[in-house]
Amino acid sequence: MGAEWAEHPGSLAVSGSSAAPAAARRQTLPGYFSAGRPGGFSAVYGSVMDLVDKMDENEWNYHGEGNKSLVVSHVQMSRVLRLLKYSSEDAENAPQTTEETFRQMENIVDFSNNVMSPLLGDKFVHSGEVVKLPLEFVRQLSIKVQHHRPAWRCDKVMDIYSGAALCLPNLTTPSIPTHNPPLCVEIKPKCGFLPSPEHVSKDIKTKVCRHCMHQRYKVASGKWKRKSLYCPLDLFSGNRQRMYFAIKHLIEEPQNNFKIFKGGKCIHGDRDEMLSVSSLLQKLRPYFSCGNGRNKTVLHDFIQVLVDSLLSSDEEGDEGVERRLEGRMVCEASLCSTEFLRTDPQPLPRDSVLGRILQVQLLDSLDIEGLLPLYRRVEQYLHHFPKERSRLQIDGPYDKAFLEKLQKCPAEDDGSIEYAVAKVQQYRVAMTAKDCSIMVTLVPRRDEEDGSERAAFSFSASILDLDPKPQDGVRRQQRLDHRVVSAYLRDDPGPSPPLYPECTLLIHPV
């Protein structure tokens, strides 16, 4: 995988800086894969001419998909290809030209390289590179993976017209020798704070987080059969007890927010056959054989490893994310004991993977309700002066100038169009951070001290799914926010009792 794996003594979650390689720059090559860069496909396969014979759909397997793209992984090489998806209504005709598709892919890479990587830290970000695939290969690949796709994702089809794809490292299969296959955990953490009261019209938004409200809405609309008890504010709290229960709830009801891979194969996720916690713990037991092997112990130790990884920081004396979030990190819908919530807040390390994500999420300082008047100002201005769209970089290019405008936005509204555009762009970047994924790769090793062996891991944390959110998505977010909040208020049965009212989780070194 190319990550800078670091190790130091510890018991379970040992060790490691949250290190990942710096973002690879994009490079396109007409014909097949891009070549000429270390870490690109040319470094794996050899010369470009060799690729013609290597493009066999049978060497690629379905890996997963999100709302806008589908991912396949190579059976031997530690690489994945990410291809765009379209509505099934466009199955017979491409909704955009090949040139437009490649420009969209280039924008994804530029946004990741020039905007998200500086904000999140390049040690966490893999931007990948845009490649062009043979169309016949893509069409055969689409046929092969179709029966592996979840039914609820099949309302969209894979792009088989452009040949455009994004080549990225396969973080679930690091190329590191180990006695047990590496584990990789994918988490979609969602938004980790409550909005400021001054910008919202409904008081409930300052008490219950968006994810918990949205859960009830999704179950009522039939998207999910059961409600997840996971609350993002617990995960982002920095409090090890709250984080423990947040991860436990993700394991119990992963939906599309949590997956576990073993040796590159998904062993726990949103499919019905992958929801058995007892089955998962059987597969994890070989990694934690130093304990008594009971399921409860295996679960506890596994979660502790993840908590250690998510809190790891390279900065000495990391003081944590600003205290301005006090009072906005507790969700009334969380089922954690009020005893946990009353304890002194433990600051989330700023340089940890969660701390980095939360700081970018906080660029949304107005909530969608406070942003809407500024968005209208931008839309009205562009209606009268459409040629200004390019100067204001509404749709890119996502370069250093774009990032500087976003970072230098004045603290107060001066009535200018530049201020309004900057706040809208800040919101779009924050939405990307709210919808990103964390990949924690765990490589098992053995610590031998005092003649005894203890389970230990080296780890690497990465942040994925960093596509730019479209400008017109602001309106959709406003409508969705209204539906979610209204549905929650209409069906609210009152506060739930704590799930663990009289238990306290004690964290002991092993």
Side-chain angles (χ1 to χ4, degrees):
M1 186 170 64
E4 302 169 9
W5 298 86
E7 300 177 347
H8 57 76
S11 53
L12 285 170
V14 216
S15 61
S17 68
S18 307
R25 293 177 184 169
R26 58 186 169 78
Q27 187 174 13
T28 56
L29 179 73
Y32 299 99
F33 285 115
S34 57
R37 280 196 57 81
F41 260 82
S42 57
V44 176
Y45 284 109
S47 70
V48 177
M49 295 302 296
D50 293 337
L51 300 176
V52 178
D53 297 327
K54 294 291 184 180
M55 294 313 299
D56 180 355
E57 69 276 5
N58 294 313
E59 294 184 349
W60 297 86
N61 290 329
Y62 177 83
H63 191 78
E65 61 187 293
N67 185 44
K68 294 184 178 179
S69 60
L70 182 146
V71 178
V72 294
S73 58
H74 195 270
V75 294
Q76 293 180 320
M77 306 303 176
S78 185
R79 291 290 187 273
V80 298
L81 294 174
R82 178 183 165 197
L83 301 100
L84 295 179
K85 298 194 306 184
Y86 301 127
S87 168
S88 56
E89 298 174 358
D90 299 315
E92 300 299 325
N93 298 287
Q96 58 185 12
T97 66
T98 297
E99 182 182 352
E100 289 171 337
T101 302
F102 271 92
R103 189 181 303 120
Q104 180 181 351
M105 294 295 247
E106 292 281 346
N107 275 341
I108 291 173
V109 175
D110 288 342
F111 186 76
S112 179
N113 266 334
N114 301 323
V115 181
M116 301 308 296
S117 184
L119 292 173
L120 293 169
D122 61 4
K123 65 181 178 180
F124 293 118
V125 178
H126 303 263
S127 297
E129 53 188 327
V130 180
V131 295
K132 183 172 178 61
L133 307 172
L135 292 182
E136 182 59 26
F137 162 76
V138 176
R139 289 172 184 139
Q140 293 301 319
L141 184 65
S142 175
I143 296 171
K144 178 188 175 183
V145 303
Q146 185 60 33
H147 71 280
H148 295 287
R149 301 177 62 196
W152 64 279
R153 288 290 193 189
C154 291
D155 60 329
K156 292 186 177 181
V157 295
M158 195 176 93
D159 168 30
I160 60 173
Y161 298 104
S162 70
L166 195 59
C167 172
L168 294 155
N170 185 350
L171 301 173
T172 68
T173 57
S175 303
I176 298 176
T178 176
H179 58 282
N180 271 328
L183 298 172
C184 187
V185 181
E186 179 179 356
I187 304 173
K188 266 195 171 305
K190 299 300 184 178
C191 182
F193 67 98
L194 296 173
S196 173
E198 61 185 295
H199 300 301
V200 299
S201 60
K202 302 294 184 183
D203 187 52
I204 191 65
K205 292 175 69 173
T206 66
K207 298 177 180 179
V208 178
C209 77
R210 167 63 177 269
H211 176 80
C212 289
M213 284 196 280
H214 208 172
Q215 273 295 301
R216 186 178 297 173
Y217 180 78
K218 287 181 176 180
V219 172
S221 61
K223 180 171 183 179
W224 297 113
K225 297 177 182 177
R226 297 172 296 274
K227 186 178 77 168
S228 169
L229 301 180
Y230 166 69
C231 179
L233 273 60
D234 292 330
L235 187 68
F236 280 98
S237 68
N239 180 302
R240 297 182 69 90
Q241 294 173 322
R242 292 176 64 186
M243 293 178 70
Y244 180 95
F245 287 115
I247 295 172
K248 184 173 183 291
H249 292 147
L250 283 171
I251 292 172
E252 292 169 345
E253 194 63 51
Q255 296 184 352
N256 62 336
N257 297 322
F258 190 82
K259 291 180 182 178
I260 301 175
F261 298 85
K262 180 179 179 179
K265 181 181 179 181
C266 186
I267 60 171
H268 192 70
D270 57 2
R271 297 189 180 185
D272 289 340
E273 65 271 21
M274 296 182 183
L275 290 177
S276 170
V277 176
S278 60
S279 174
L280 168 66
L281 297 179
Q282 289 288 339
K283 295 168 184 174
L284 294 179
R285 183 168 285 114
Y287 297 86
F288 303 96
S289 57
C290 58
N292 56 26
R294 293 184 304 174
N295 279 358
K296 187 176 180 180
T297 304
V298 172
L299 178 64
H300 174 272
D301 290 352
F302 174 65
I303 295 176
Q304 286 292 85
V305 169
L306 279 182
V307 172
D308 287 345
S309 305
L310 295 171
L311 290 177
S312 176
S313 171
D314 291 339
E315 291 187 0
E316 293 290 337
D318 194 326
E319 297 181 354
V321 180
E322 304 95 292
R323 291 286 185 174
R324 61 183 166 134
L325 284 176
E326 286 186 0
R328 295 167 58 191
M329 293 294 294
V330 175
C331 172
E332 289 186 359
S334 169
L335 297 184
C336 271
S337 167
T338 53
E339 181 180 347
F340 295 168
L341 306 179
R342 284 197 302 266
T343 56
D344 291 335
Q346 298 165 264
L348 182 68
R350 291 179 61 87
D351 196 50
S352 66
V353 64
L354 286 175
R356 287 285 194 155
I357 291 172
L358 182 58
Q359 290 173 75
V360 179
Q361 291 182 356
L362 286 168
L363 287 172
D364 173 18
S365 58
L366 302 177
D367 188 70
I368 186 64
E369 293 186 65
L371 181 78
L372 203 56
L374 296 173
Y375 177 77
R376 292 194 186 106
R377 184 192 302 176
V378 175
E379 291 298 287
Q380 290 171 2
Y381 183 85
L382 293 177
H383 177 74
H384 293 293
F385 307 101
K387 293 183 179 179
E388 285 283 271
R389 194 176 189 93
S390 176
R391 180 185 73 83
L392 295 171
Q393 294 184 265
I394 300 297
D395 308 303
Y398 300 114
D399 51 18
K400 292 182 179 179
F402 179 93
L403 179 60
E404 287 177 5
K405 292 176 184 177
L406 183 147
Q407 291 176 317
K408 293 180 179 179
C409 178
E412 300 294 333
D413 186 358
D414 58 6
S416 67
I417 186 61
E418 286 75 14
Y419 173 84
V421 169
K423 295 306 290 185
V424 172
Q425 305 294 38
Q426 284 184 346
Y427 175 82
R428 291 172 60 192
V429 169
M431 289 303 297
T432 294
K434 293 177 184 181
D435 203 31
C436 72
S437 296
I438 300 172
M439 296 287 274
V440 179
T441 306
L442 304 168
V443 177
R445 61 185 180 85
R446 290 291 176 187
D447 274 355
E448 296 187 12
E449 293 183 7
D450 302 325
S452 63
E453 289 191 353
R454 299 181 300 172
F457 294 85
S458 298
F459 67 88
S460 179
S462 304
I463 305 174
L464 289 79
D465 300 335
L466 298 175
D467 296 10
K469 299 299 181 181
Q471 175 83 2
D472 59 7
V474 174
R475 284 284 187 187
R476 289 198 297 272
Q477 283 296 324
Q478 187 270 331
R479 292 192 293 268
L480 178 60
D481 182 76
H482 177 75
R483 289 198 300 270
V484 169
V485 175
S486 297
Y488 189 86
L489 289 173
R490 182 175 60 248
D491 302 330
D492 186 13
S496 302
L499 186 63
Y500 310 98
E502 297 179 359
C503 87
T504 299
L505 175 69
L506 299 178
I507 309 298
H508 295 292
V510 177

